[in-house]
Amino acid sequence: MSRRRALDTAAAVRAGELSAIEVLEEHLGAIEAAEGDVHAFNLVLADAARARAEEIDRQVAAGSDPGPLAGVPVALKDNLCTRGVATTCSSRILEGWVPPYDATVVERLRRAGAVVVGKTNLDEFAMGSSTENSAFGPTRNPLDLSLVPGGSSGGSAAAVAAGFATLGLGSDTGGSIRQPAALCGVVGAKPTYGLVSRYGLVAFASSLDQIGPFAVDVPDAAALLEVIAGHDPRDSTSLNAPAPSMLDGLSMGVDGLRVGVVSEMLEGVEPAAAAAVQDAAEALARVGARPDKASVPAAIYGLSAYYLIAPAEASSNLARYDGVRYGLRVDAPDVTAMFARTRAAGFGAEVKRRIMLGTYALSAGYYDAYYGRAQRVRTLIIRDFEEAYRSFDVLLAPTTPGPAFPLGAKVDDPLAMYMNDICTIPSNLAGHPAISVPWQAPGASLPVGVQVLAPALGEPVMFRVAAAIEALAPPRPEQGAGR
Amino acid sequence: MSEWETVIGLEVHCELRTATKLFCGCRNEFGAEPNTLVCPVCLGLPGSLPVLNRQAVELAMGIGLALHCQVKPSVFHRKNYFYPDMPKDYQVSQYDEPINVEGWLELPDGFRVGIVRAHMEEDTGKITHVGGGGRIHEAAHSLIDYNRAGVPLVEIVSAPDLRSAEGARAYVSELRSILVATGASDGKMEEGSLRVDANVSVRRPGEPFGTRCEIKNLNSLRSLGRAIEHEAERQVGVLEAGGTIAQETRHWDEAAGRTLSGRTKEQSEDYRYFQEPDLVPVAPDDDWLTGVAARLPLLPAARRDRLAEVTSMAGTEVATLVELGLDDLVVEAVGAGAEARVAVNRAANEVAANLSGLGNLTSASFAKVVRMESTGKLTPTQAKAVLAELLASGGDPEEVARDRGFEALAEDALAGVIDKVVADNPSEWERYVGGDDKVVQFFTGQVMKQTQGKANGAAVAAALRARAGRS
Amino acid sequence: MAGDHPGRPISRPDVVHVAHLARLELSDEEIDLFTGQLAAVLEHAADIAALDTDGVPPTSHPLPVRNVLREDVVVAGLQRDEVLAQAPAPEDNRFRVPRILGESP
């Protein structure tokens, strides 16, 4: 199936050459054909999407411009608040909860003329790397239904990979956009911390969470990021600087750019993953870039620091789910028992594990040894990145240690599951942008991701290099769900 | 009890007089219909985020300056615990980097109480217990209203410098005056604008501090005083009987007149403080601080000093006038030439008794009345009457005096009237001239009648004597 | 001592205590399972205990932003019925909860 790019779709719709309804029906048809196998969605919004698409077509007919993403079908991770539409975070504790407000990114998407086709599945409260932690069943990888799509934004990645939507939004706290993008063979990016408003994103780890795009190619991802980025007065951590242009300079090429391959991130990963990065670096060299070895020594401590900081913040962010004001309530004779039973019934095992890990890391007597120390390690990682960026414009690394793995392979070993995030976590800790571009060596049955890392607000150069890698990547087999 | 010393430290929570809550644009208003002043942020709905209220920060800075604190760069922390009045099950507060530290408050008698810190935090919702007389222990269930959740608070923590219930009351009273003066609070303790927790312990003088108990949520000066006294006695009783004081939270039962133990907890709370990741630090620069300081009005202690100096008085009368907010009136009157003693008397008596009419009285008109009295243009009785009318309905003192016929008579007019009265009552006059003093009252009365009370009694008597050729 | 890795691994009583702090009612099996799993994660995290972080300030925020403030102006909030419509137990325009056994900490 040849995929129409978001930018092309929007241009055609705005010009009246293509109707938004037609575009939508194509995607709804794909959903009907394969969603039963893939389970990318918690909720498909067919009727609402049709109404929206019709409205866009009417606007075009009346001579007004619906916006830069006119008629483009978008899938939203189900931890983004959508007014009047259930937002569950794939958790029983929020089953049926309907937010009375839209997330800022959702507002911006609507203003840009996008058509929301549905809310996608995720690991519960964004905690996981396989979407197997969803309370509503896992999502399967459209490239091979026996494999995981990655997580936590597995649903959005799968939706884009399977052609259910042209674009997707996910959230990335330790790699939850980039890793599923790599496993599903699509593009996924995490922006600079603070570039995209978190207002309306159900919080997991506040100092790490960012919303970002899924797309079939780099320019589409850049276009989507451009629509959602920018200061929001409702988010105190939102950057008050003008968002850099994502699309300008995309095809400028990489001549003279210094590209650092992070040696620490090549260690311990599968050969396919390491090879993809080396091959990408060599390909870039052939078109004028200057690749070399780079080092971010403290990155090896990222996993440990992350698995103290993220659960600590999460344990606090998830305390509000207590059965009092919304969501699940399990009755009990007294309120403390009600809290404890509601939370026990409403949260899955991984969420409970992280809440307890986080509570422990913050508790009296352990703060300095765990959370306090992890925050210092974070500073070391930031310093090492700063040092590396003195010599390089961007850094390269694998996105994940290997390609998609079978469903059920790692569910019983939390630590093994956490290892998936080893290459993605450092960017979250530093607040830096990073993007995953699919790379499938000839003969390989599955793609892996090549990750481009850039300094804070380095999205322009990040997209530039990513676009170049994408253009140089070996051609991939035609995609379709199931194969 | 006399061989024992009571040691008291007070924590006062002050609700700030802002238009909106600390982190959202919901109205900050007492008494609204339940759950009508809420939004995703103050309800802690999933995905919501806090944004700090500038005015709340300024009021907090003002409080710090008024309490002679160092105002510092500060951050917010999360205080994590579960309770149904807490929408997020954590409270956004300040922990080890609060906005104000190390100040002091001077009581009217000159005693200085140390202020350890005054930090910002958000208020919780309100719980109503249903069944069991509305008390928590017997309630069947509870109902929660989140209108108050997110209201800005400043928590002011004193050093354990107070040594008596009396002193504690004076401290809270003075603090309240300061908070109202800075505009930070409306001072309405009965509405919960100010809430006091008292930490009380006892010791024999010279010994280290004893174990303290915290008495929470004392909402009037009266309960504060009674609770402290009772608690100190209770602790002394325990210690003298050979027991030890358990560190705990206690509650003042107004009806029973004693403190009651709160639920005993096996472990103390572990709040797991960490810096609030959804907010950024607050660092007031010098310009901002200077601006806030410049906008602070004269505070109670400075007012007392000023009034004492201007009137050459001291002590309780000065303190009372400042407490009633009448010092400006007196200071301006004296500045306009009024006699200090008279100004103070009229303010402390007539005006104080009629505070509701203060809006009708300008300081210029007050000054005028006082001057009219000191120069004899008005008798004390007349002056009081004029003041009463000004307080009731405003106006100009001279006009009011004229309308009531209080104008003092000119001297020759008085002579004319006396001539007439003497001429009309020859036989009485003969008796007076002959030495009958009692008759003077008759003549004074006649003169008063003729002048419709405008004559000054003393002046009339003097004129009559002179007329009669008597000294 | 501040900054040192606590000498002993997380124990079952620790997990029971933490579950209470976090208001999670766990079964005995869950407590056993979590004790093992958490111990493994914390063991792995002990590698950062070996790092010299003396004099390294903690990072709470990746951004060096200060003084983000809003003006003290009323903004329309939510309608009460919208809010109570989501409540598990609305009563008398408020949120009902079962007996609260203790005072607020």
Side-chain angles (χ1 to χ4, degrees):
Chain A
M1 167 181 74
S2 80
R3 300 288 304 272
R4 204 183 286 112
R5 297 171 53 210
L7 292 173
D8 293 339
T9 299
V13 168
R14 280 158 118 178
E17 290 158 12
L18 192 57
S19 79
I21 271 287
E22 196 182 317
V23 175
L24 175 64
E25 292 298 351
E26 270 174 31
H27 289 79
L28 290 176
I31 291 172
E32 195 171 317
E35 167 63 1
D37 291 328
V38 174
H39 183 220
F41 292 99
N42 287 340
L43 188 61
V44 177
L45 296 164
D47 292 336
R50 285 187 178 110
R52 182 82 183 108
E54 279 162 13
E55 190 188 327
I56 287 172
D57 287 333
R58 272 199 299 275
Q59 282 181 329
V60 172
S64 63
D65 181 2
L69 293 179
V72 178
V74 182
L76 299 181
K77 187 174 183 179
D78 203 16
N79 62 355
L80 290 166
C81 286
T82 42
R83 184 175 185 172
V85 174
T87 301
T88 68
C89 302
S90 288
S91 176
R92 295 230 173 277
I93 218 165
L94 277 182
E95 200 170 358
W97 179 62
V98 178
Y101 75 105
D102 275 330
T104 297
V105 296
V106 173
E107 283 178 358
R108 291 183 180 182
L109 274 183
R110 291 202 212 280
R111 274 206 300 275
V115 177
V116 175
V117 297
K119 305 296 294 294
T120 57
N121 198 13
L122 58 150
D123 282 297
E124 188 181 359
F125 282 109
M127 299 183 196
S129 308
S130 65
T131 311
E132 292 172 292
N133 293 324
S134 165
F136 308 132
T139 296
R140 292 164 183 277
N141 193 322
L143 300 178
D144 180 336
L145 295 174
S146 70
L147 306 179
V148 302
S152 61
S153 312
S156 283
V160 171
F164 298 164
T166 309
L167 298 173
L169 278 188
S171 66
D172 190 311
T173 305
S176 287
I177 290 175
R178 293 161 285 157
Q179 187 253 20
L183 269 46
C184 289
V186 296
V187 174
K190 180 198 87 70
T192 303
Y193 184 87
L195 189 61
V196 177
S197 169
R198 290 186 298 117
Y199 186 77
L201 169 67
V202 179
F204 160 15
S206 316
S207 75
L208 303 167
D209 292 343
Q210 272 293 282
I211 299 168
F214 284 102
V216 173
D217 65 19
V218 172
D220 272 6
L224 178 51
L225 184 54
E226 191 146 296
V227 165
I228 60 175
H231 177 63
D232 181 8
R234 290 179 294 189
D235 176 355
S236 297
T237 62
S238 169
L239 285 174
N240 210 347
S245 160
M246 310 294 168
L247 289 167
D248 294 352
L250 207 51
S251 41
M252 266 170 70
V254 296
D255 196 40
L257 286 182
R258 303 162 301 161
V259 176
V261 176
V262 183
S263 26
E264 288 84 7
M265 294 189 187
L266 290 178
E267 282 170 42
V269 302
E270 290 176 35
V277 175
Q278 301 287 28
D279 292 345
E282 278 163 33
L284 288 172
R286 287 197 293 275
V287 290
R290 290 156 38 198
D292 205 342
K293 279 203 185 76
S295 179
V296 182
I300 60 171
Y301 299 106
L303 196 70
S304 304
Y306 175 83
Y307 276 101
L308 292 172
I309 294 170
E313 293 182 8
S315 69
S316 179
N317 283 327
L318 269 62
R320 69 192 68 200
Y321 305 107
D322 60 11
V324 175
R325 295 160 292 283
Y326 48 82
L328 180 72
R329 174 187 290 204
V330 174
D331 271 307
D334 68 84
V335 79
T336 301
M338 183 197 93
F339 289 163
R341 285 179 206 174
T342 296
R343 293 159 64 77
F347 290 139
E350 184 60 34
V351 169
K352 285 177 185 165
R353 230 181 331 262
R354 297 204 195 190
I355 287 175
M356 293 209 293
L357 189 51
T359 305
Y360 185 72
L362 288 173
S363 61
Y366 300 119
Y367 180 97
D368 287 332
Y370 289 125
Y371 185 77
R373 187 158 275 251
Q375 294 285 49
R376 291 170 206 279
V377 168
R378 198 170 176 175
T379 305
L380 292 177
I381 291 174
I382 292 171
R383 286 180 183 174
D384 283 355
F385 267 124
E386 278 169 5
E387 183 60 39
Y389 285 122
R390 279 194 244 287
S391 317
F392 295 100
D393 298 303
V394 296
L395 299 174
L396 286 191
T399 305
T400 60
F405 47 90
L407 285 151
K410 301 189 187 182
V411 278
D412 294 323
D413 190 350
L415 202 51
M417 189 68 87
Y418 296 166
M419 293 296 207
N420 276 292
D421 303 327
I422 220 157
C423 300
T424 46
I425 274 170
S427 302
N428 298 87
L429 290 170
H432 291 170
I435 187 170
S436 178
V437 180
W439 187 283
Q440 190 165 357
S445 55
L446 293 167
V448 290
V450 173
Q451 201 185 175
V452 182
L453 293 71
L457 291 176
E459 275 82 351
V461 67
M462 179 189 82
F463 279 119
R464 219 169 111 195
V465 173
I469 291 173
E470 179 172 76
L472 296 163
R476 292 184 44 217
E478 274 298 304
Q479 285 159 253
R483 282 178 58 234
Chain B
M1 191 73 229
S2 52
E3 69 202 77
W4 293 92
E5 181 177 72
T6 309
V7 175
I8 302 148
L10 295 177
E11 287 164 19
V12 175
H13 287 84
C14 168
E15 279 183 2
L16 297 182
R17 274 186 85 182
T18 51
T20 62
K21 295 185 179 183
L22 187 54
F23 297 122
C24 66
C26 286
R27 207 182 295 274
N28 175 6
E29 188 182 283
F30 178 82
E33 278 296 303
N35 292 305
T36 53
L37 304 177
V38 293
C39 76
V41 177
C42 56
L43 278 177
L45 294 188
S48 62
L49 292 172
V51 185
L52 187 56
N53 181 334
R54 176 191 298 276
Q55 177 65 357
V57 177
E58 289 205 0
L59 291 177
M61 285 161 67
I63 291 173
L65 291 170
L67 296 176
H68 312 100
C69 293
Q70 277 184 66
V71 179
K72 309 183 75 167
S74 65
V75 300
F76 287 90
H77 275 74
R78 292 190 185 179
K79 182 179 182 183
N80 296 282
Y81 66 97
F82 285 82
Y83 209 72
D85 61 2
M86 304 248 293
K88 301 184 291 291
D89 291 300
Y90 60 84
Q91 180 195 32
V92 181
S93 178
Q94 297 191 304
Y95 180 52
D96 56 1
E97 287 179 70
I99 186 166
N100 300 309
V101 293
E102 287 170 29
W104 46 268
L105 175 153
E106 190 174 290
L107 298 179
D109 67 6
F111 183 73
R112 270 196 191 182
V113 180
I115 304 286
V116 175
R117 51 189 282 150
H119 69 258
M120 304 181 66
E121 60 185 28
E122 57 177 345
D123 209 346
T124 63
K126 243 196 237 168
I127 304 178
T128 308
H129 302 299
V130 176
R135 284 209 293 272
I136 189 174
H137 296 292
E138 291 103 62
H141 61 270
S142 303
L143 302 176
I144 311 180
D145 168 19
Y146 293 103
N147 282 353
R148 197 182 67 181
V151 163
L153 295 177
V154 169
E155 178 178 339
I156 301 154
V157 180
S158 85
D161 292 344
L162 293 160
R163 296 287 177 270
S164 68
E166 183 74 44
R169 289 173 55 141
Y171 170 85
V172 172
S173 182
E174 180 71 2
L175 181 57
R176 184 186 164 284
S177 298
I178 293 172
L179 294 171
V180 171
T182 63
S185 171
D186 63 15
K188 295 184 188 172
M189 288 182 77
E190 69 281 7
E191 283 183 4
S193 301
L194 281 182
R195 313 199 285 259
V196 185
D197 297 340
N199 289 292
V200 181
S201 65
V202 296
R203 65 174 180 179
R204 290 197 164 89
E207 286 187 356
F209 285 156
T211 305
R212 61 172 201 241
C213 289
E214 185 183 24
I215 311 170
K216 286 188 86 77
N217 273 324
L218 296 158
N219 295 336
S220 70
L221 292 178
R222 189 184 126 92
S223 342
L224 175 66
R226 292 185 69 207
I228 289 173
E229 275 168 356
H230 168 82
E231 176 60 16
E233 274 167 32
R234 181 194 76 86
Q235 291 193 14
V236 167
V238 167
L239 293 172
E240 283 183 342
T244 52
I245 305 296
Q247 178 166 23
E248 59 176 351
T249 300
R250 298 180 70 87
H251 298 275
W252 171 245
D253 184 334
E254 186 67 49
R258 55 201 180 94
T259 61
L260 301 169
S261 183
R263 178 179 65 105
T264 42
K265 291 170 256 203
E266 308 85 42
Q267 304 133 333
S268 53
E269 282 293 332
D270 178 357
Y271 295 120
R272 289 159 274 133
Y273 286 100
F274 68 100
Q275 191 170 330
E276 169 60 82
D278 290 331
L279 291 171
V280 297
V282 180
D285 61 19
D286 287 337
D287 282 345
W288 195 9
L289 206 49
T290 309
V292 173
R295 288 191 290 276
L296 281 180
L298 212 54
L299 296 174
R303 288 179 174 273
R304 287 193 293 269
D305 291 344
R306 179 183 67 158
L307 187 61
E309 193 175 331
V310 157
T311 61
S312 305
M313 291 164 43
T316 47
E317 215 167 3
V318 162
T320 307
L321 280 176
V322 168
E323 205 179 298
L324 293 173
L326 299 176
D327 54 304
D328 278 333
L329 213 57
V330 172
V331 167
E332 280 163 39
V334 171
E339 196 189 313
R341 186 73 245 169
V342 179
V344 167
N345 278 345
R346 291 293 151 257
N349 295 301
E350 281 67 47
V351 180
N354 235 319
L355 285 175
S356 50
L358 205 49
N360 297 324
L361 181 70
T362 66
S363 54
S365 47
F366 177 74
K368 214 185 265 186
V369 177
V370 173
R371 274 204 329 275
M372 286 166 82
E373 183 179 339
S374 346
T375 56
K377 276 182 86 182
L378 287 175
T379 65
T381 316
Q382 289 171 335
K384 293 177 193 182
V386 170
L387 247 188
E389 181 158 330
L390 292 175
L391 284 164
S393 39
D396 173 67
E398 276 170 1
E399 275 174 35
V400 171
R402 239 192 319 272
D403 290 345
R404 285 190 166 224
F406 285 169
E407 260 190 298
L409 236 37
E411 239 178 73
D412 30 324
L414 181 60
V417 171
I418 288 176
D419 284 347
K420 183 172 187 315
V421 165
V422 165
D424 287 347
N425 301 279
S427 45
E428 286 79 1
W429 183 247
E430 254 186 67
R431 277 174 32 217
Y432 180 62
V433 171
D436 189 346
D437 280 332
K438 290 193 293 274
V439 188
V440 77
Q441 281 176 30
F442 166 76
F443 276 104
T444 310
Q446 287 297 304
V447 170
M448 289 309 227
K449 208 164 100 178
Q450 291 288 327
T451 63
Q452 287 129 16
K454 284 187 204 150
N456 181 307
V460 169
L464 286 168
R465 267 202 299 277
R467 192 73 189 287
R470 294 164 63 170
S471 50
Chain C
M1 216 162 100
D4 284 352
H5 175 53
R8 54 173 188 76
I10 187 171
S11 67
R12 200 179 191 280
D14 289 331
V15 173
V16 170
H17 174 59
V18 163
H20 170 69
L21 281 180
R23 299 300 186 270
L24 290 169
E25 189 178 88
L26 301 178
S27 67
D28 284 335
E29 293 76 29
E30 280 176 303
I31 295 173
D32 289 333
L33 179 66
F34 288 153
T35 303
Q37 290 175 336
L38 293 179
V41 175
L42 288 167
E43 168 100 20
H44 184 272
D47 63 352
I48 65 178
L51 273 181
D52 180 10
T53 56
D54 270 348
V56 178
T59 295
S60 285
H61 280 115
L63 313 174
V65 179
R66 301 271 176 282
N67 296 334
V68 175
L69 303 164
R70 41 166 267 275
E71 298 311 308
D72 190 23
V73 172
V74 175
V75 173
L78 293 172
Q79 293 299 310
R80 176 161 67 192
D81 30 338
E82 206 175 3
V83 170
L84 290 175
Q86 302 286 321
E91 179 177 307
D92 194 19
N93 287 319
R94 283 168 287 181
F95 298 84
R96 175 187 166 135
V97 294
R99 291 183 63 201
I100 303 171
L101 294 178
E103 299 284 344
S104 178

